[in-house]
Amino acid sequence: MSRLRRPFSSVRSRAALAATAVVAVALVAAAFALLFALRSNLTNEASGQADQFSNEVAQQIARHVPIGKLDLEGSEDHPTQVVDAKGRLLIASEDLAEITGTGVSAVRPPSTPSTTAPTPTPTPTPTGDDDDDDSGGDDDSGDDSDDDAPPPGAPDDGTVSPPGKHRTGSATVDGRTVDYVFSERRVTDVAGGPYTVFTGSSLGPQQSAVRATTIAMAIGVPALLVVVGGVTWLVTRRALRPVEGIRREMAAITASEDLTRRVPEPQTHDEVAKLARTTNETLTALEASVDRQRRFVADASHELRSPIASLRTQLEVGEAHPELLDVPGAVADTVRLQQLAADLLLLARLDAGEQAGRTRLDLAALVREEVSQRSTDRIPVTADVRGSVEVAGSRGQLARVLANLLDNAQRHAAGEVRATVRREGGRVVLAVADDGSGVPETERERIFERFVRLDDARSRDDGGAGLGLAIARDVAHRHGGTLEVGRAEAGGALFELRLPAAGRDPERPVPTGASALGAAPAQVLGDGRE
């Protein structure tokens, strides 16, 4: 039974969903903002129309037009009410059947509106000289501006206030109930006042426009989201097509275990192309690592086979002919086998990433101690060590490096082996020199490879397995130091181990290639002159 894929488990699905969600949020926010602005603008327009019509009615009352003779033309679109100071309805639009929102629910006045014009509140008339009445009687050429002035004794106009707070409600006109916005104005300084005028303006156009816009958005937004999701899906699919090619090729490499294959690299400069190049670089390093590991296993098997075969032969001969048993030879083969196993175990631990300790130790004292214990060497070792020089690291591993260097010098020296320790700036230098034939310059890196010996014709019993210098350089690197070979003053080989002095941060080299993958880096591990 095939495993069911979870929804949105692919990058394309998640990208399309995320893009659609972002656009949806943006469109919904924009839609709400547009609807709010549209509603606000249309409401303000309706309020302005209500203010204009209420002002026209209020101006008539201010000019003392009788309440019963007010011109309410257009009231079918602008339902109007006029109330007195006590809130009683004086007049309303003829077709008005019901109204809410003005505070006055009546639509018909209790009595017939008066046809008497409102008069202003009487004010005292100032008195003047009687001579003023006749002062201009004989002057027939008066100012023309007096022709437009109100006749003597005419009442002054009332005062119309600005519109108050707008109210919303509904009104039934000609049998149709519609929502309205109402404008309120007060007329003062007239007899019977103050009067209040309520005039409405329909919100129907506003509501229709908002409704039409809402419907259009309800249809358009989902359609647009579908388009956005589809385009994102197609674009993401096209962009991730090289990634799918990389995945398929990696799956094929895993199934075939053929590390010579490489993933396709797009001819672009984007992140996918960088991923492909990095993947191929990793495959190259992995291929080299596996090759080195295979060679290492083959060489280790070959090295182990010789002492084991020799030891078995001696034991079989001893079993058949006890008088012919070579006990010293069997012991030597056992010791050699033990040393080889110990070297392989140490290399395995180093390849697994085992780090050196950070214990402070006196390298000069370590050299003196190790040299003093080598009383059976073929050539006595001269130790030129003075004072105390401290480094940080593993005492056991550094002692192993010194022993490997001294053993290598013993095999090739003619008559002198010298060990020195000195301080150079922030580093400590341990040098081991001999007066042998030296190392050719072209072979000075190859001798640090595992199981490499320059004299292949020499019997293995005369030398090591080719791991001593490999171990020494690897330990040096893991202590943040270096191990190099040069030419000594006496003409032989000069090995110099450089380590950071105690109290200074070691400058650890960054592993590359096979060493970064836990395999055996040829440039770090090896032995050449054993």
Side-chain angles (χ1 to χ4, degrees), residues 22 44 46 128 132 143 150 154 162 176-177 201 224 226 270 286 309 344 383 444 486 489:
V22 171
N44 292 337
D132 293 340
D143 192 351
R176 290 190 312 114
T177 301
S201 182
L224 182 59
V226 171
D270 55 10
L286 183 60
L344 293 175
R444 289 179 180 174
E489 294 181 358

Side-chain angles (χ1 to χ4, degrees), residues 367-368 370-385 402-403 405-407 409-410 413 415-420 430-433:
V367 172
R368 287 193 292 267
E370 292 294 323
V371 170
S372 65
Q373 296 177 359
R374 302 178 68 92
S375 58
T376 60
D377 285 352
R378 181 177 65 88
I379 298 174
V381 179
T382 302
D384 184 6
V385 180
L402 177 60
L405 295 179
L406 292 177
D407 289 343
Q410 287 287 333
E416 179 185 14
V417 175
R418 180 179 296 273
T420 62
L430 167 62
V432 176

Side-chain angles (χ1 to χ4, degrees), residues 18-44:
T20 304
V22 171
V23 174
V25 171
L27 289 178
V28 170
F32 276 107
L34 177 61
L35 291 176
F36 177 80
L38 180 62
R39 184 189 300 272
S40 178
N41 289 337
L42 293 177
T43 301
N44 292 337

Side-chain angles (χ1 to χ4, degrees), residues 447-506:
I447 62 173
F448 292 104
E449 297 179 10
R450 296 178 180 182
F451 300 107
V452 171
R453 289 175 298 180
L454 299 185
D455 189 3
D456 292 333
R458 187 183 56 205
S459 171
R460 291 182 182 272
D461 293 336
D462 296 336
L467 296 177
L469 294 181
I471 293 174
R473 174 172 271 193
D474 199 1
V475 171
H477 279 225
R478 295 185 185 280
H479 279 75
T482 59
L483 177 62
E484 304 294 340
V485 62
R487 184 175 182 82
E489 294 181 358
L494 172 64
F495 288 88
E496 289 187 331
L497 171 66
R498 297 177 181 271
L499 300 173
R504 297 178 62 89
D505 294 332

